[in-house]
Amino acid sequence: MRLLTAAVTTMALTFGATVATAAPVEIKFSHVVAENTPKGQMANKFAELVAERLPGQVEVKVFPSSQLFGDNKVLEAMLLGDVQMAAPSLSKFQKYTKSLQLFDLPFLFRDMAAVERFQSSAEGQEMLKALESKGLVGLGYLHNGMKQLSASTPLRVPADANGKKFRIMTSDVLHAQFEAVDAVPLKKPFSEVFTLLQTKAIDGQENTWSNIYSKKFFEVQPYITESNHGVLDYMVVTSAEFWSDLDADLRSEVKKALDEAIAYGNSIAAEKASSDKQAIIDSKRSEVVEITDAEREQWVAAMKPVWNQFADEIGADLIKAAEAANQ
Ligand code: SIN
C-alpha cells in the first residue's frame, strides 16, 4: 500500500511538474473570410473542441479576415513555421500543385452534392496528398459553395461580360475562364476586393453567396447573376514538419477535433448559402439575375473549352472521375 502511495505521489509530482512547466502547443489558424461563414465557423468550432479536450496541452488561436496572413502568403508562412493551419481556397494552391486546378474548371460539378461525392472518392482523397512533396499535409476538404457572378451591370449572356474587369483568385484556370468570355481577369487578394469594387477599379468578381454577403460585396455590386458556374471549396492544411513533430496522441486528438469541426462547417454551408442569398435579396441593394437554361448554355459553351487547355496539367482521368460524380 505504501509502495502504491509512493508511486502515485511520484506520478502526480511528475505529471504536475510537466503540466506546470510545458507550455501548450500553439496552433495559429489563419484565414481570410469573416467569422460568420462556413470556414469562420469551422475554425472557431475547432478552437472550442481543442480547448475542451486538450486544455493546457494544445491551444488554437484563430485569426480571421486576413488579420495574420492573406491566402497568397499563408503557405509560405506555414513552411517557415509562422502559422500552423489554414484553409485556403482550392484555387490558391497552383504554385504547389497543378492537380487541384481541377476544382476551378468551369461547369465541372453540377452542384455541391457532386463536389462532396468526388472529394469522398478514392481520387478525391488521393488529392489530399498532392502537396506532400512541398512539405504540406492536406487534412481535409471544407465546403463553401457554388460561385456566382457579381457585376456593375446585369450579366445574362457571355457577351455582357466583354471588356469588363473581374477580380479573380490566383488561378490560371480562372484567368482562362474570364478570357474565354473576352473579359479582363485580374488576380487580387480577397482582402482588396471590396475596395476595388467600391472605387470601380474593377467591374465585377465571382464568389459564393456567403462571401458576397459577409464581405458586403452586394452593397457595391448592383447585380448578381445566379450562374453556379464553379465551386469554391477549401483544403485544410498544415506543415509536414509541424504535424510530424506533434506527439502522436495529441496529433490523433487534434485530428479528431478537426474532423468534427470540418463536418460541422460542411453541415452549415448549404444553409448559409441559401440564408445569405435571401439576406442579399431582402437588402434590396443588389438584384439577383436569374438566367434561363438557354442563357446558361451560352456560358457553358463559351467557358467549357477551358478544360482542354488544362487537361494535360490536371490529368484527363481526373477530370473524367470528377465528371462521373455528377451522376
Ligand atoms: C475564401 O473564401 O477563402 C476567399 C475566396 C476568395 O479569395 O475569393
Side-chain angles (χ1 to χ4, degrees):
M1 185 66 189
R2 229 181 309 151
L3 257 181
L4 186 65
T5 313
V8 169
T9 310
T10 312
M11 269 173 64
L13 281 174
T14 312
F15 183 67
T18 308
V19 168
T21 53
V25 175
E26 185 178 73
I27 299 180
K28 289 191 191 128
F29 193 125
S30 170
H31 68 81
V32 299
V33 293
E35 289 189 276
N36 188 23
T37 56
K39 182 159 58 180
Q41 296 288 297
M42 180 282 285
N44 290 352
K45 171 67 84 185
F46 174 52
E48 261 168 52
L49 292 175
V50 168
E52 249 169 57
R53 295 175 191 174
L54 300 168
Q57 292 177 279
V58 182
E59 188 181 1
V60 177
K61 289 189 181 150
V62 181
F63 297 87
S65 291
S66 311
Q67 277 168 20
L68 195 58
F69 293 105
D71 272 343
N72 299 333
K73 289 272 177 289
V74 75
L75 296 177
E76 283 165 37
M78 188 171 282
L79 291 170
L80 292 172
D82 293 336
V83 61
Q84 287 70 41
M85 279 195 196
S89 134
L90 295 167
S91 314
K92 295 179 181 171
F93 288 99
Q94 73 170 31
K95 211 171 123 188
Y96 298 87
T97 174
K98 298 290 178 203
S99 63
L100 292 174
Q101 296 185 116
L102 173 83
F103 290 95
D104 283 339
L105 295 177
F107 298 104
L108 176 60
F109 295 105
R110 186 184 302 145
D111 52 26
M112 291 308 292
V115 174
E116 172 64 38
R117 275 193 294 276
F118 175 71
Q119 289 175 349
S120 313
S121 70
E123 290 88 350
Q125 288 297 301
E126 189 61 27
M127 288 174 85
L128 288 172
K129 300 184 192 149
L131 304 156
E132 265 176 9
S133 64
K134 301 291 187 293
L136 294 167
V137 180
L139 297 171
Y141 294 105
L142 173 72
H143 296 323
N144 187 324
M146 301 300 283
K147 288 181 293 185
Q148 321 302 335
L149 288 166
S150 77
S152 49
T153 52
L155 305 175
R156 292 203 151 275
V157 291
D160 295 334
N162 288 183
K164 300 238 177 319
K165 291 187 200 139
F166 288 87
R167 176 270 175 174
I168 55 165
M169 296 180 272
T170 45
S171 153
D172 290 346
V173 175
L174 299 180
H175 197 272
Q177 169 193 275
F178 278 100
E179 282 192 332
V181 294
D182 294 323
V184 183
L186 298 163
K187 291 178 183 168
K188 295 284 178 189
F190 187 58
S191 56
E192 291 177 22
V193 181
F194 181 86
T195 307
L196 290 167
L197 293 171
Q198 190 183 38
T199 57
K200 304 202 186 320
I202 55 173
D203 303 294
Q205 60 88 47
E206 55 166 14
N207 233 302
T208 59
W209 291 114
S210 156
N211 282 348
I212 294 172
Y213 180 65
S214 59
K215 286 293 173 188
K216 302 192 188 316
F217 299 162
F218 70 101
E219 292 185 0
V220 287
Q221 288 277 264
Y223 300 97
I224 305 170
T225 299
E226 184 159 36
S227 51
N228 291 316
H229 64 281
V231 61
L232 197 167
D233 257 25
Y234 307 111
M235 190 184 285
V236 182
V237 286
T238 187
S239 83
E241 193 179 340
F242 170 74
W243 200 234
S244 61
D245 280 356
L246 206 54
D247 167 88
D249 290 341
L250 285 186
R251 187 165 61 229
S252 138
E253 282 301 313
V254 168
K255 179 67 166 64
K256 225 161 89 191
L258 184 68
D259 288 345
E260 283 177 44
I262 289 177
Y264 172 71
N266 286 345
S267 76
I268 62 169
E271 168 52 26
K272 277 221 76 43
S274 85
S275 61
D276 289 350
K277 174 185 165 189
Q278 193 55 49
I280 291 170
I281 294 170
D282 294 346
S283 77
K284 300 196 175 13
R285 301 287 294 265
S286 189
E287 183 185 324
V288 174
V289 179
E290 284 173 23
I291 51 176
T292 63
D293 288 348
E295 286 167 340
R296 193 163 193 277
E297 275 316 307
Q298 288 192 44
W299 289 97
V300 175
M303 289 179 163
K304 211 167 153 179
V306 164
W307 294 20
N308 287 335
Q309 283 179 52
F310 293 89
D312 286 347
E313 279 182 12
I314 295 170
D317 287 353
L318 211 51
I319 298 178
K320 246 193 218 134
E323 267 193 292
N326 286 319
Q327 268 102 57

